[in-house]
Amino acid sequence: ASLRYGVTDRLEVGVRLPFIYRSDKLVASPVAGSAQDPAAMTIDNSVRGSGLGDVEVTARYQLNNGGYNKPFLTANLQAVIPTGRDPFKVRRDDNGIARQVATGAGFWGITPSITAILPSEPAVLFGTLGYTFNLSENVQTRIPPVQIDRINPGNQINASAGIGLAINERTSLNFGYTHAWSFGTTTRTRALDERSGGPTGNAVITRSRDLQIGRFLFGVSHRFSDRLQINWSAEMGASEGRAVAGT
């Protein structure tokens, strides 16, 4: 559910309350050469659940009045609040396998961006450029054979562009493409002692590779009245999740 409120003729604030349902399945099989071990059997762990996701709070301010061949510019600020079930705080068994589903990312995110909208009847061209700051967190989670002490999720560059096409006075279609360059995540871990089960030794810091994530967008909007409008959208992956070596 989402709510938007116009504070002035230029300033708008909003909030989005997502409800998440997930069904996860994890299958663990014995490695080659261990099939003779009766304890090395295939393990099938499935969990499902639902709950509130991460709440999003937004503010938008129109910077100019636009004009002929001059786009309307809007400054945006979005904050993602980790209200969903933290993936590092869900219940886990002795092997570190989650027994609950996570409904949130577990991190604060702040995204300033700017949007340009250029009317060209019966179409509207639009584009957005933004940068997401993901804040690091001390998670202190044990997932054998390590304890994860701290995670610094990589920041992200976001860009999107598209076109909206009016079918009639009430219905419109929109097509677009969005691309994100997600920088690598830095993780600090310590090995777990086999006897005591506690962390031991020096911390090890690792950094994952950058990811390029592209998506095609399609949506339909229909206005029933001045107060009620329904928006429907779908996304299709346009990249293979290829990694780009980070620095």
Side-chain angles (χ1 to χ4, degrees):
S2 61
L3 175 67
R4 295 180 179 179
Y5 179 75
V7 180
T8 69
D9 58 350
R10 288 181 178 266
L11 176 63
E12 176 188 270
V13 295
V15 61
R16 179 173 176 266
L17 305 173
F19 183 81
I20 306 296
Y21 174 81
R22 287 183 57 180
S23 178
D24 296 347
K25 184 174 183 180
L26 171 65
V27 177
S29 300
V31 297
S34 63
Q36 302 302 323
D37 184 356
M41 60 179 62
T42 299
I43 302 174
D44 186 346
N45 291 285
S46 299
V47 290
R48 59 173 58 92
S50 59
L52 178 67
D54 290 342
V55 171
E56 299 176 6
V57 179
T58 58
R60 300 180 176 89
Y61 184 79
Q62 183 178 322
L63 299 175
N64 67 343
N65 292 323
Y68 179 73
N69 284 335
K70 183 179 179 181
F72 293 88
L73 299 178
T74 303
N76 316 293
L77 182 63
Q78 180 190 65
V80 177
I81 306 172
T83 53
R85 190 177 298 120
D86 193 323
F88 301 101
K89 295 180 180 178
V90 299
R91 294 195 308 269
R92 297 180 182 272
D93 60 20
D94 294 338
N95 296 317
I97 297 175
R99 305 313 305 159
Q100 282 182 302
V101 296
T103 59
F107 303 97
W108 284 81
I110 301 174
T111 306
S113 63
I114 187 166
T115 298
I117 300 175
L118 180 63
S120 180
E121 294 185 3
V124 174
L125 306 176
F126 59 87
T128 299
L129 181 64
Y131 190 91
T132 300
F133 299 89
N134 291 310
L135 307 186
S136 59
E137 183 74 22
N138 291 321
V139 297
Q140 303 296 327
T141 299
R142 296 184 181 183
I143 303 179
V146 300
Q147 171 172 297
I148 304 174
D149 290 335
R150 186 177 181 84
I151 293 182
N152 184 9
N155 295 336
Q156 191 175 80
I157 299 175
N158 311 287
S160 63
I163 183 172
L165 182 63
I167 303 300
N168 52 47
E169 294 182 354
R170 293 180 177 269
T171 306
S172 62
L173 303 176
N174 61 79
F175 307 89
Y177 176 79
T178 179
H179 196 92
W181 184 334
S182 182
F183 302 122
T185 297
T186 301
T187 307
R188 186 175 69 198
T189 61
R190 287 181 291 168
L192 294 175
D193 185 86
E194 294 183 359
R195 294 183 178 180
S196 67
T200 183
N202 297 325
V204 176
I205 298 177
T206 59
R207 184 182 186 276
S208 64
R209 294 185 175 184
D210 296 359
L211 289 177
Q212 303 288 340
I213 306 170
R215 293 168 294 163
F216 288 110
L217 312 175
F218 170 74
V220 178
S221 178
H222 183 78
R223 180 171 58 85
F224 291 92
S225 67
D226 292 339
R227 294 180 175 270
L228 179 61
Q229 179 172 311
I230 300 297
N231 299 307
W232 177 85
S233 62
E235 300 180 0
M236 181 177 65
S239 60
E240 298 179 358
R242 294 178 178 175
V244 177
T247 59

